[in-house]
Amino acid sequence: MARRSVLLVVVGVALAAAGAGAQAEPVPIGLSAPLTGFGAPDGLSVRQAVELGVRQINAAGGVLGRQIRLVVYDDQAAPPQGVAVAQRLIERDRVVAAVGGSYSGATRGAAPIFQQNRVPFVVGYAVHPEITRAGPYVFRVGFLGPVEGAGAAEVARLYFNAQRVAMLTMDNDFGRALAQGFRDRASKTGLNIVGEVIYPLGEKDMAPHVTRVRAMNPDLIFVSGLFNEAALITRTVRQLGLRAQILGEEGFDSPKYLELAGADAEGVVIVTNLNRDDPRAVVQTFLREYRQAYKMEADMVGASSYDALRIIVDGLRRAGTTESARLRDAIAATRNFNGVTGVLSFTPQRETIKPIQVQVVRNGQFRYFGVITDPEIITPP
């Protein structure tokens, strides 16, 4: 299939110019997201959140006296499409930087392309460690997978005093990275893992896997999965009468999970990037304006990608230019950025440092449950 035929241009227009810089050529910024396929609900959240950010920035006068032109492509959450999208954004659209709004597989494919062409690439929420190892032009706003996994292990110990922990792990980059961090932290703290069951992405029948977990007699289950798998596991755990606490991660953090799991989601706790009850104005303004614009609630993937866009724009302002090396250096110098997903800084390895949020499902919504701030856990290795 020709590369052109698998790419979907969704948005490639400059938003209406207003105020200063109305006649200047817009600044092109790229966005890669899974707009079709199994990750489409997440891709929609990403696209909507980043488009909201562009409208807000352009309405306030843009950046460097110019409007932003957002260029969006569908990477289908697939590595080959991730590569093709990166090449197209760089070679055809000449973007000055890009937001990575996709999963680890597609993002791992795209990151080396941006690095080779020295175009800053700020990844919203993909967790795999190899992504930022592509080189100094690649940054991550969300948690490194092992960091988030370690945070989950700390939640199991600190908030639940778990004595017998089972792991139900999705067999892909996302699940493996989280599981590694969970196991490593459990080993350090003496958290008792009684067993692990691994299942494939896209699994439709969770009963055999949950039955194996039930035989381990856990009091807490750490589950990795995207919203579809997470909801199916949640429902199956309840249907099989397993009373163990379900502890999930950012893959649960979606309105789609709440819709699919329904009442069975009540009491499920997750580690994630977004605290809906954070009183900071940047958080509440984003949540309110997203709700007003799209008639739905924002989620972690949207908030993380929104922060990635704003970090690029903050870098452009501090660099005073779109020249790639100076923009890269400005982004790398980001410290105490007031993001929707936390006040964050980048390490020399371009990983984020910020608190890990703990949310609980209560009355059909994600609410504040706790936070992990221990530097030993939240600081990437």
Side-chain angles (χ1 to χ4, degrees), residues 138-208:
V138 183
F139 303 82
R140 187 190 332 256
V141 171
F143 298 114
L144 188 67
V147 170
E148 185 172 331
E154 187 65 4
V155 171
R157 184 192 70 81
L158 183 65
Y159 288 97
F160 294 104
N161 190 28
Q163 302 299 306
R164 295 179 59 83
V165 177
M167 298 174 64
L168 191 46
T169 301
M170 187 166 63
D171 189 17
N172 67 349
D173 283 351
F174 177 68
R176 287 189 291 270
L178 289 164
Q180 176 195 330
F182 192 93
R183 284 192 296 267
D184 290 349
R185 183 68 186 173
S187 176
K188 286 182 180 178
T189 61
L191 188 67
N192 181 28
I193 298 176
V194 295
E196 180 175 12
V197 173
I198 298 174
Y199 70 92
L201 172 67
E203 177 65 271
K204 303 300 183 188
D205 181 8
M206 293 295 179

Side-chain angles (χ1 to χ4, degrees), residues 132-361:
T132 46
R133 292 173 187 164
Y137 280 77
V138 183
F139 303 82
R140 187 190 332 256
V141 171
F143 298 114
L144 188 67
V147 170
E148 185 172 331
E154 187 65 4
V155 171
R157 184 192 70 81
L158 183 65
Y159 288 97
F160 294 104
N161 190 28
Q163 302 299 306
R164 295 179 59 83
V165 177
M167 298 174 64
L168 191 46
T169 301
M170 187 166 63
D171 189 17
N172 67 349
D173 283 351
F174 177 68
R176 287 189 291 270
L178 289 164
Q180 176 195 330
F182 192 93
R183 284 192 296 267
D184 290 349
R185 183 68 186 173
S187 176
K188 286 182 180 178
T189 61
L191 188 67
N192 181 28
I193 298 176
V194 295
E196 180 175 12
V197 173
I198 298 174
Y199 70 92
L201 172 67
E203 177 65 271
K204 303 300 183 188
D205 181 8
M206 293 295 179
H209 308 296
V210 174
T211 298
R212 291 176 60 197
V213 168
R214 184 174 61 179
M216 300 172 190
N217 191 29
D219 57 4
L220 183 144
I221 311 169
F222 175 55
V223 179
S224 60
L226 305 177
F227 55 84
N228 275 323
E229 292 80 9
L232 186 53
I233 289 171
T234 300
R235 293 203 310 269
T236 305
V237 166
R238 304 307 188 209
Q239 288 165 3
L240 294 182
L242 192 51
R243 301 177 68 85
Q245 173 66 45
I246 297 175
L247 174 59
E249 33 60 45
E250 66 181 48
F252 287 55
D253 191 330
S254 165
K256 202 67 179 175
Y257 167 75
L258 297 175
E259 173 192 330
L260 295 174
D264 289 336
E266 289 295 309
V268 168
V269 170
I270 67 170
V271 288
T272 186
N273 290 257
L274 177 60
N275 173 18
R276 279 85 171 167
D277 295 313
D278 188 330
R280 290 178 300 131
V282 66
V283 179
Q284 296 307 317
T285 298
F286 168 75
L287 295 175
R288 183 182 64 254
E289 294 193 6
Y290 186 97
R291 188 181 305 118
Q292 290 173 345
Y294 305 117
K295 312 306 179 191
M296 59 190 298
E297 296 298 319
D299 59 16
M300 180 281 301
V301 296
S304 299
S305 303
Y306 177 86
D307 276 350
L309 169 74
R310 293 175 61 242
I311 285 171
I312 290 171
V313 172
D314 180 64
L316 286 166
R317 288 178 176 142
R318 286 186 287 108
T321 175
T322 61
E323 194 274 315
S324 63
R326 291 172 62 185
L327 174 56
R328 189 224 77 87
D329 290 347
I331 295 173
T334 299
R335 298 290 182 274
N336 298 317
F337 180 80
N338 189 28
V340 170
T341 60
V343 177
L344 63 90
S345 301
F346 285 128
T347 69
Q349 292 74 37
R350 305 164 312 285
E351 299 286 358
T352 191
I353 301 178
K354 61 183 179 183
I356 298 172
Q357 302 300 327
V358 189
Q359 300 266 284
V360 62
V361 179

